[in-house]
Amino acid sequence: MFSIVKERVGQILLPGDEFCCGPQDTLPLTDSGRPERLVAGPGLRRSGDRLLVSRSGVLRHKEPNKFWIESQQRRYVPAKGETVIGIVTAKSGDVFKVDYGGSEQASLSYLAFEGATKRNRPNVQVGDLVFAQFVVANKDMEPELVCIDGSGRANGMGVFGAAGLLIKVSLGLVRRLLVPHSDLRADLEQLFPCELVVGMNGRIWVRAASVQQTLILANLLQSCDTMTAPQRQQLFRRIQLGALQD
Amino acid sequence: MAGDSVRLSKNLLRMKFMQRGLDAETKKQLEEDEKRIISDEHWYLDLPELKAKENLIIEEKSLVPCEDLFYGRLSFRGFNPGVEKLMALLNPKDEKEEEEDDVSHMQTDVTDEEMALRYESLVGTLKKKFAKKRERATMDEDDVNQNIVEKNSKKAFLKPQD
């Protein structure tokens, strides 16, 4: 099964393509002698013994056993464990309603902040930006967010956004920003001191030393979305020269 | 009294005070009957044993573990030092970068060893501040390792001998 799937890595697949595996195929020659598990990432689904493709895109592989389909999209589908930027839209009782750009609003309990107790409520108003992670996210239930991790620490999550700009980009750009060896991040490092908060739902919040720099950064990220690498580097160089002139 | 006219009910016969007069055998019989009733009430599936198939494919809905994506908060050129620390903590570490980091940390931060040394002496000085006069006198005679020689600092009342 592995070998069948590995052959198609790098090729374009369409929804409906499937990889069947018989019981004899799933015993590759590993050291331990046990059959290896295959991790089917986004875009791939399991149906019994078969692996089905549910999105059109390029098949990618990562050692030792991870496969996924890489495709373009702007619409975010929540997944458990992902961190997103949400906007608080309503406060009803003990729960905040947060809009993350999905089909429905997520709920965020007021106790899910670091150091929050029934007496000590967090300082969250309607319209605030929150950086939170999904703790329940499936198609059958209302999504739930929390601003703490398993051990109760915030780890950078929570309310933020005193001065800065929120922009909406495609999910591909978010991935390109956060991938381990990212050219985009290296280019941004060369520009000017700035701070970004990147949500997996396609929202990026930027802040820099001055308003002008913040605006430059926001426009840069929006346009980087649809540029190739050389075009982008040209743009960055132009801005760097411009910044030196200021 | 207990003639044919009075028929005692099953539940009555099952009560403790009625069972004291019974033989051991009848008691066992009754127990077995009860157990049989209980086990008959339990339901079970009359199917052959199905082996649970080991699933070799695990579904992962999120892209974060697939590509080892970084943490969402980023800061460049020291704009937000708190976020830079978080980045160092939460992001998967690169082997090359770790060596460079060690050099820079040694220069700017106070190392753990220095802190430990500092605290050792600090505790001693603060303790002296709150000690009473008599204790302070005895404390000065201690050696570096704080090995206090036991002596009675409090003088007990000595009764005068006639």
Side-chain angles (χ1 to χ4, degrees):
Chain A
M1 163 84 124
F2 266 65
S3 44
I4 311 175
V5 186
K6 270 193 191 167
E7 274 169 36
R8 311 282 301 264
V9 169
Q11 293 181 6
I12 297 180
L13 296 177
L14 296 175
D17 291 348
E18 64 176 66
F19 302 98
C20 279
C21 81
Q24 56 271 23
D25 292 339
T26 55
L27 294 174
L29 298 166
T30 53
D31 298 328
S32 54
R34 280 179 301 137
E36 266 186 26
R37 290 169 179 256
L38 186 144
V39 175
L44 292 170
R45 276 198 305 144
R46 174 178 79 89
S47 167
D49 263 345
R50 303 170 301 161
L51 193 64
L52 295 177
V53 174
S54 64
R55 220 186 276 172
S56 51
V58 183
L59 182 63
R60 296 277 182 225
H61 172 55
K62 180 150 183 194
E63 296 300 325
N65 56 353
K66 300 184 191 162
F67 295 90
W68 71 91
I69 302 272
E70 192 177 280
S71 59
Q72 301 271 53
Q73 64 179 62
R74 287 184 75 98
R75 166 66 71 170
Y76 175 67
V77 172
K80 183 172 169 177
E82 289 194 348
T83 46
V84 293
I85 297 184
I87 305 178
V88 178
T89 51
K91 204 165 151 176
S92 63
D94 291 342
V95 142
F96 300 113
K97 287 281 176 221
V98 174
D99 163 53
Y100 61 90
S103 50
E104 58 178 321
Q105 308 208 328
S107 67
L108 170 60
S109 163
Y110 78 100
L111 287 172
F113 289 85
E114 185 174 15
T117 57
K118 287 199 179 151
R119 301 261 180 95
N120 180 17
R121 292 183 175 230
N123 189 11
V124 178
Q125 309 301 327
V126 171
D128 278 351
L129 291 173
V130 241
F131 189 59
Q133 73 178 353
F134 279 106
V135 91
V136 167
N138 51 36
K139 61 182 168 75
D140 304 313
M141 293 165 63
E142 184 196 23
E144 287 178 28
L145 292 165
V146 286
C147 283
I148 50 173
D149 66 359
S151 56
R153 285 176 303 177
N155 272 346
M157 293 191 275
V159 180
F160 69 97
L165 222 53
L166 183 73
I167 53 175
K168 173 112 180 61
V169 293
S170 76
L171 305 191
L173 182 66
V174 167
R175 187 203 142 255
R176 260 174 281 156
L177 265 177
L178 294 181
V179 100
H181 303 284
S182 161
D183 293 336
L184 192 47
R185 262 215 316 273
D187 287 341
L188 279 174
E189 184 90 38
Q190 309 299 322
L191 264 190
F192 38 71
C194 60
E195 181 192 2
L196 300 181
V197 178
V198 180
M200 295 292 297
N201 53 344
R203 290 187 183 164
I204 303 186
W205 178 85
V206 294
R207 186 161 75 121
S210 70
V211 177
Q212 200 182 27
Q213 285 182 341
T214 313
L215 285 170
I216 293 175
L217 198 50
N219 284 329
L220 194 62
L221 286 170
Q222 290 272 23
S223 44
C224 265
D225 216 346
T226 46
M227 283 190 192
T228 60
Q231 284 173 333
R232 194 186 67 225
Q233 277 160 1
Q234 209 185 28
L235 185 59
F236 270 80
R237 238 176 284 137
R238 256 177 45 201
I239 296 185
Q240 260 182 320
L241 294 172
L244 288 171
Q245 281 171 11
D246 278 341
Chain B
M1 251 197 300
D4 285 17
S5 53
V6 180
R7 288 248 182 92
L8 300 170
S9 67
K10 239 192 319 175
N11 283 335
L12 198 53
L13 287 171
R14 238 184 256 159
M15 287 191 185
K16 269 286 177 179
F17 65 87
M18 296 296 282
Q19 306 227 343
R20 281 185 213 136
L22 291 174
D23 314 338
E25 279 183 33
T26 5
K27 269 192 204 163
K28 271 191 215 158
Q29 268 286 316
L30 284 172
E31 273 179 35
E32 272 173 37
D33 286 340
E34 278 196 36
K35 273 193 200 154
R36 215 187 313 139
I37 296 172
I38 293 172
S39 62
D40 275 345
E41 284 175 1
H42 286 160
W43 291 25
Y44 59 93
L45 286 173
D46 205 5
L47 297 169
E49 270 193 31
L50 296 166
K51 261 196 298 178
K53 272 194 254 176
E54 196 189 337
N55 278 328
L56 295 159
I57 307 177
I58 306 174
E59 266 195 43
E60 177 68 61
K61 293 265 168 71
S62 162
L63 200 52
V64 175
C66 285
E67 294 210 50
D68 289 332
L69 293 183
F70 271 19
Y71 185 60
R73 295 195 82 146
L74 303 168
S75 162
F76 297 110
R77 290 200 171 183
F79 191 74
N80 190 334
V83 175
E84 303 237 329
K85 259 189 243 170
L86 270 177
M87 279 170 75
L89 277 177
L90 295 171
N91 287 336
K93 297 205 163 60
D94 266 339
E95 288 167 9
K96 285 182 287 177
E97 290 177 19
E98 266 191 11
E99 296 161 16
E100 297 167 23
D101 278 353
D102 282 342
V103 176
S104 61
H105 277 317
M106 292 297 279
Q107 290 165 358
T108 51
D109 293 348
V110 179
T111 59
D112 293 335
E113 287 157 9
E114 282 180 50
M115 282 295 283
L117 282 172
R118 171 69 95 75
Y119 263 105
E120 267 178 33
S121 54
L122 189 69
V123 165
T125 42
L126 279 183
K127 192 175 166 195
K128 270 195 229 170
K129 187 177 171 189
F130 291 104
K132 304 246 190 255
K133 215 172 181 182
R134 290 202 183 144
E135 285 168 16
R136 216 183 300 153
T138 52
M139 264 163 64
D140 285 337
E141 296 165 19
D142 296 340
D143 32 293
V144 185
N145 290 339
Q146 302 269 324
N147 292 330
I148 302 175
V149 178
E150 291 284 336
K151 41 175 161 166
N152 295 340
S153 51
K154 287 214 167 142
K155 294 179 181 135
F157 175 66
L158 288 173
K159 193 170 177 184
Q161 291 163 350
D162 289 332

